[in-house]
């Protein structure tokens, strides 16, 4: 499209201003077709704006105001679409033919998100439709952003439905103009006015939701989040601060934050090393003590830079792996030199012997369901073909967390394993996902040699129709290759 004029932009802004609250199809079309003036036209209008008089809006450069209008309209449209998705989530939850417990699994596979994310979206959608319908309507009309909707929902989570309705009516009129922190403060004030006696009950309910979460970060790092009561968190922080101060020695270059983290790591690793806490042995997982598992090729152990794997996190550097392995127990695992998968063997009993269980856990690394990252040592060992029809062998065993084990055994999900270790999971609504066999070792890519330089230019081929000209050989028809499941990309 050729550059358009500043007058075209002015007309576009006028058209945008006339779009009604619920005319989202027209709004999307206007955003798509926004005029794009040339740089020279934009620069000329910016200079002309310096000479204009009137209100700040009248004096503003037209193109800058158009971009701001686009952001505002785009936010309205996004809010509308998010509210529409929330309504669809709630409707699907009401009409799902499978078990509600496994609906998040279905959605996660369809959308390519984690089950936790799908479950949170389902819960939020059902709560909005049931408890906060006016908030859902305001979101659908584009008046509230998703962050503000989340603030209203989370802040009223522990109050009764009656109080939630009252608080919703109190805060919605001002919510579009407020920031999220301002809205949260307004909701808390409204709750105290509407339900002053419920504070202690809400605190007890919040305490029951205390938890620990972890997630990966770049550069071999990860994060830990502890949610508990304010006194508990204060005690943890005070303890770590005291340990950090105690660890300070002359020449120690670590800052206080680093010493606090190191103190926490030392506390936990000392317990793992001893296997005992408060005089009681730590519980076993698949007949093994709790431990940190890394996988590293032999050359990395001997000093190379080959990437290694930390179970539950992913790739780490060889140097990080060697530091962990220095205090650990080493076990030899032989991998296929081409595929990188762990070589297999079989057994015939229902309960896998420890050697076979260890083999399957080491091979699968995490739960075999697509997208699940629960470490295999904290999973159950599932017979893909139920016993006794299927044998107790590594080909027929797979790590499956309790949730996904139930999804297969009674939840309407099916799974199949192919000869190369690829697995296929199918949901009750027919979503099919293939996952490749886990790789414990990533073989280096072969180096393609440079072609030799031609010593002299090749002669020009004869032109078509001239003596010696030949037709190109017929090319065999290409057949579609099966998808490459080892390239690391999602199969959906």
């Amino acid at each position: 499209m050729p550059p358009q004029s500043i007058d075209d932009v002015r007309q576009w802004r006028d058209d945008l201003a006339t779009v009604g609250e619920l005319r989202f199809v027209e709004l999307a079309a206007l955003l798509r077709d926004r005029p794009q003036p040339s740089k020279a036209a934009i620069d000329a209008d910016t200079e002309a704006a310096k000479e204009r008089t009137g209100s700040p809006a009248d004096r503003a450069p037209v193109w800058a105001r158009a971009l701001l209008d686009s952001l505002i309209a785009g936010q309205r449209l996004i809010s509308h679409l998010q509210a529409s998705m929330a309504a669809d989530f709630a409707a699907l939850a009401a009409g799902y033919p499978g078990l509600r417990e496994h609906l998040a699994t279905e959605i996660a596979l369809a959308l390519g998100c984690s089950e936790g994310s799908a479950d949170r979206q389902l819960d939020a959608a059902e709560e909005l439709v049931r408890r906060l319908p006016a908030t859902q309507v305001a979101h659908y009309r584009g008046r509230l952003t998703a962050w503000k909707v989340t603030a209203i929902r989370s802040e009223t989570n522990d109050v009764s439905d009656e109080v939630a309705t009252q608080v919703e009516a109190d805060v919605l009129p001002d919510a579009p103009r407020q920031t999220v922190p301002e809205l949260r403060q307004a909701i808390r004030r409204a709750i105290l006015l509407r339900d002053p006696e419920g504070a202690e009950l809400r605190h007890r309910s919040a305490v029951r939701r205390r938890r620990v979460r972890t997630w990966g970060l770049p550069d071999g790092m990860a994060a830990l989040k502890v949610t508990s009561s304010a006194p508990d968190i204060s005690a943890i922080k005070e303890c770590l601060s005291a340990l950090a101060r105690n660890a300070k020695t002359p020449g120690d270059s670590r800052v206080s934050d680093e010493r606090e983290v190191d103190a926490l790591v030392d506390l936990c690793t000392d317990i793992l090393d001893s296997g005992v806490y408060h005089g009681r042995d730590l519980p076993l997982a698949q007949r093994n003590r709790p431990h940190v598992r890394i996988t590293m090729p032999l050359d990395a152990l001997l000093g190379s830079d080959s990437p290694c794997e930390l179970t539950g996190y992913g790739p780490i550097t060889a140097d990080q792996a060697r530091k962990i392995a220095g205090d650990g127990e080493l076990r030899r695992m032989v991998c296929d030199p081409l595929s990188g998968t762990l070589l297999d063997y079989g057994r015939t009993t229902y309960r896998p012997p420890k050697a076979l269980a260890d083999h399957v856990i080491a091979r699968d690394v995490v739960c075999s369901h697509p997208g699940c990252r629960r470490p295999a040592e904290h999973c159950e060992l599932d017979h893909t073909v139920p016993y006794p029809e299927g044998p107790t062998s590594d080909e027929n065993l797979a790590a499956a967390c309790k949730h996904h084990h139930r999804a297969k055994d009674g939840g309407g999900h099916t799974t199949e394993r192919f000869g190369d270790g690829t697995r296929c999971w199918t949901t009750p609504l027919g979503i099919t996902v293939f996952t490749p066999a886990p790789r414990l070792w990533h073989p280096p890519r072969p180096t393609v040699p440079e072609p030799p330089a031609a010593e002299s230019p090749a002669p020009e081929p004869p032109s078509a129709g001239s003596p010696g000209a030949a037709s190109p050989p017929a090319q065999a028809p290409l057949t579609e290759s099966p998808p490459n499941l080892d390239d690391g990309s999602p199969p959906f």
Side-chain angles (χ1 to χ4, degrees), residues 136-481:
Q136 168 69 0
V137 169
H139 195 202
Y140 183 84
R141 290 176 175 270
R143 296 175 181 172
L144 297 180
T145 65
W147 296 289
K148 293 181 179 181
V149 172
T150 298
I152 296 172
R153 185 181 60 82
S154 61
E155 293 289 342
T156 59
N157 188 59
D158 292 324
V159 303
S160 68
D161 291 355
E162 179 183 0
V163 171
T165 300
Q166 295 170 341
V167 170
E168 182 184 45
D170 290 341
V171 302
L172 276 182
D174 293 330
R177 297 182 296 276
Q178 292 174 316
T179 65
V180 172
E182 289 172 338
L183 176 59
R184 286 188 180 276
Q185 292 296 327
I187 296 168
R188 291 167 189 172
R189 282 193 294 270
I191 289 174
L192 287 176
L193 289 172
R194 295 290 185 178
D195 186 25
E197 282 82 30
E200 181 57 32
L201 292 176
R202 291 192 293 274
H203 173 69
R204 292 175 187 172
S205 176
V207 167
R208 287 196 297 270
R209 296 196 299 274
R210 61 192 184 276
R211 61 183 300 191
V212 176
R213 289 185 58 209
T214 61
W215 61 95
L217 298 173
D219 303 320
M221 302 295 285
L224 173 77
K225 178 182 178 182
V226 180
T227 302
S228 188
S229 67
D232 287 350
I233 297 301
S234 296
I236 293 171
K237 179 63 175 176
E238 186 63 30
C239 176
L240 293 178
S241 297
L243 291 173
R245 292 192 298 271
N246 185 62
K248 178 67 174 176
T249 58
D252 188 347
S253 61
R254 297 175 299 168
V255 300
S256 177
D257 285 346
E258 293 175 279
R259 294 197 306 274
E260 287 184 10
V261 172
D262 293 344
L264 178 60
V265 172
D266 288 343
L267 284 173
C268 296
T269 53
D270 286 348
I271 293 171
L272 286 178
D273 289 343
S274 68
V276 177
Y277 178 64
H278 282 189
R280 298 175 59 187
D281 290 341
L282 297 180
L284 302 180
Q286 294 293 350
R287 289 171 276 182
N288 288 305
R289 279 175 43 187
H291 58 283
V292 175
R293 184 191 298 271
I294 60 167
T295 304
M296 57 191 306
L298 180 61
D299 65 328
L301 186 63
L302 298 177
S304 81
D305 293 329
S306 296
C308 305
E309 292 277 331
L310 173 62
T311 300
Y313 173 79
I316 59 175
T317 65
D319 188 55
Q320 288 178 293
R322 282 190 290 269
K323 289 177 181 176
I324 299 171
D327 295 325
E329 174 185 339
L330 301 181
R331 295 190 181 185
R332 181 178 67 91
M333 294 187 292
V334 180
C335 297
D336 187 292
L338 297 179
S339 68
T341 57
L342 189 66
L343 297 178
D344 58 344
Y345 59 93
R347 290 293 187 274
T348 56
T349 58
Y350 173 75
R351 180 171 173 79
K354 188 175 186 302
L356 176 57
D358 288 346
H359 175 93
V360 174
I361 291 167
R363 179 199 68 196
D364 287 356
V365 185
V366 294
C367 171
S368 59
H369 190 275
C372 185
R373 303 299 299 166
R374 186 163 185 81
E377 58 261 33
H378 299 307
C379 294
E380 299 170 345
L381 296 186
D382 173 46
H383 287 74
T384 302
V385 179
Y387 183 85
E389 287 79 12
T392 301
S393 66
D394 75 313
E395 295 95 340
N396 195 44
L397 286 175
C401 68
K402 189 178 293 292
H403 174 69
H404 291 122
H405 198 165
R406 289 199 302 267
K408 171 181 165 290
D409 294 347
H413 295 245
T414 61
T415 183
E416 183 179 3
R417 184 182 188 274
F418 300 97
D420 63 352
T422 298
R423 285 191 170 273
C424 173
W425 282 78
T426 304
T427 71
L429 292 184
I431 299 295
T432 299
V433 178
F434 292 87
T435 55
R439 284 184 169 186
L440 275 72
W441 175 63
H442 294 263
R445 295 185 178 183
T447 303
V448 179
E450 292 277 342
E455 296 182 2
S456 59
E460 290 289 333
S463 59
S466 64
S471 301
Q475 186 174 9
L478 295 175
T479 57
E480 185 177 356
S481 301

Side-chain angles (χ1 to χ4, degrees), residues 70-150:
S70 291
L71 293 175
I72 297 170
Q75 182 170 271
R76 282 180 54 204
L77 180 60
I78 289 171
S79 294
H80 169 73
L81 293 174
Q82 288 171 328
S84 298
M85 286 186 67
D88 289 345
F89 271 109
L92 182 57
Y96 183 56
L99 294 179
R100 172 62 177 81
E101 175 188 358
H102 301 299
L103 175 55
T105 304
E106 182 98 49
I107 292 173
L109 293 178
L111 300 184
C113 64
S114 70
E115 283 191 46
S117 174
D119 207 32
R120 287 189 293 273
Q121 292 181 77
L122 274 169
D123 289 345
E126 290 181 290
E127 188 174 356
L128 281 171
V129 170
R130 183 181 65 84
R131 297 183 78 228
L132 300 165
T135 300
Q136 168 69 0
V137 169
H139 195 202
Y140 183 84
R141 290 176 175 270
R143 296 175 181 172
L144 297 180
T145 65
W147 296 289
K148 293 181 179 181
V149 172
T150 298

